[in-house]
Amino acid sequence: MTDKPRDSRETGERSSSSATAERSAQCIALGADHAGFALKETIRKHLEQAGYVIEDLGTWSEESVDYPDFGRAVGERVVARQSDVGIAVCGTGIGISIAANKVPGVRAAVAHDVMTARLAREHNDANVLALGGRVVTEAQAIEIVDTFLGTRFAGGRHQRRVNNRGHKNHEPDILRCDPDPVGVHSSQ
């Protein structure tokens, strides 16, 4: 990741319609590994045409790279409020979402269809969408991205749950395996 992030604000690419004018203020951090590169490019072009500002964090080719670098980069931009939301793409969406979720404050969710994209935003207040370049088609990805970006967090009972994630001051009860549950190895 030695290249500078590419910002569509530098090129002045924006749509002039009033529907996209509202969107143009929304900045999206976009990153992918080599397995997600082609899909990232499709998403980037679609979002730029729709009037979004894109922070393209790479990668910029199909040359093998490590997905954690790009998941972390997307997450860090979102948490630093340099981007409103993030979209991260790897082969399945799983690895890059795990990497993004290691950044405190990130709520990355893998979506493979519009329902999971909608619920990720509506119920979980996800701020990073993870996609699998080997899992969804370009058309599916565009529909998933548009759904994710067009859905608002519902709040209410979901806010309590979002606030509760990882903040309890207790550990869950863990069942421990007894190495000799029937006393076979007892010294009697």
Side-chain angles (χ1 to χ4, degrees), residues 30-67:
L30 183 61
D33 72 355
H34 57 283
F37 169 72
L39 188 59
K40 175 191 73 97
E41 289 299 294
T42 297
I43 293 167
R44 180 185 57 77
K45 291 172 187 170
H46 169 74
L47 293 176
E48 286 175 345
Q49 288 174 350
Y52 290 95
V53 174
I54 305 302
E55 300 286 347
D56 187 342
L57 305 174
T59 193
W60 295 284
S61 75
E62 291 182 345
E63 183 179 330
S64 184
V65 293
D66 298 328
Y67 65 81

Side-chain angles (χ1 to χ4, degrees), residues 78-101:
V78 171
V79 170
R81 297 184 181 195
Q82 294 170 320
S83 295
D84 298 301
V85 295
I87 300 173
V89 189
C90 69
T92 63
I94 298 168
I96 207 160
S97 72
I98 291 169
N101 276 321

Side-chain angles (χ1 to χ4, degrees), residues 8-177:
S8 61
R9 289 178 289 199
E10 294 170 1
T11 63
E13 295 176 28
R14 291 214 180 149
S15 172
S16 61
S17 77
S18 60
T20 59
E22 181 181 322
R23 286 189 211 147
S24 67
Q26 190 170 22
C27 182
I28 300 169
L30 183 61
D33 72 355
H34 57 283
F37 169 72
L39 188 59
K40 175 191 73 97
E41 289 299 294
T42 297
I43 293 167
R44 180 185 57 77
K45 291 172 187 170
H46 169 74
L47 293 176
E48 286 175 345
Q49 288 174 350
Y52 290 95
V53 174
I54 305 302
E55 300 286 347
D56 187 342
L57 305 174
T59 193
W60 295 284
S61 75
E62 291 182 345
E63 183 179 330
S64 184
V65 293
D66 298 328
Y67 65 81
D69 297 335
F70 299 93
R72 182 175 43 256
V74 168
E76 287 172 349
R77 291 215 45 107
V78 171
V79 170
R81 297 184 181 195
Q82 294 170 320
S83 295
D84 298 301
V85 295
I87 300 173
V89 189
C90 69
T92 63
I94 298 168
I96 207 160
S97 72
I98 291 169
N101 276 321
K102 289 185 177 187
V103 177
V106 168
R107 292 175 307 280
V110 180
H112 295 309
D113 54 41
V114 294
M115 183 184 77
T116 53
R118 180 179 56 79
L119 292 174
R121 289 287 299 137
E122 191 175 275
H123 291 190
N124 303 117
D125 197 20
N127 53 12
V128 174
L129 171 65
L131 294 168
R134 295 176 178 151
V135 178
V136 298
T137 66
E138 289 181 352
Q140 290 170 323
I142 296 304
E143 193 174 12
I144 291 166
V145 165
D146 287 346
T147 298
F148 182 83
L149 296 174
T151 303
R152 298 218 182 270
F153 178 50
R157 71 182 193 271
H158 304 293
Q159 182 66 59
R160 183 182 74 243
R161 293 169 185 152
V162 168
N163 292 344
N164 190 27
R165 280 191 226 138
H167 297 290
K168 293 271 186 178
N169 290 328
H170 65 78
E171 293 292 320
D173 292 331
I174 299 173
L175 298 175
R176 304 270 184 221
C177 292

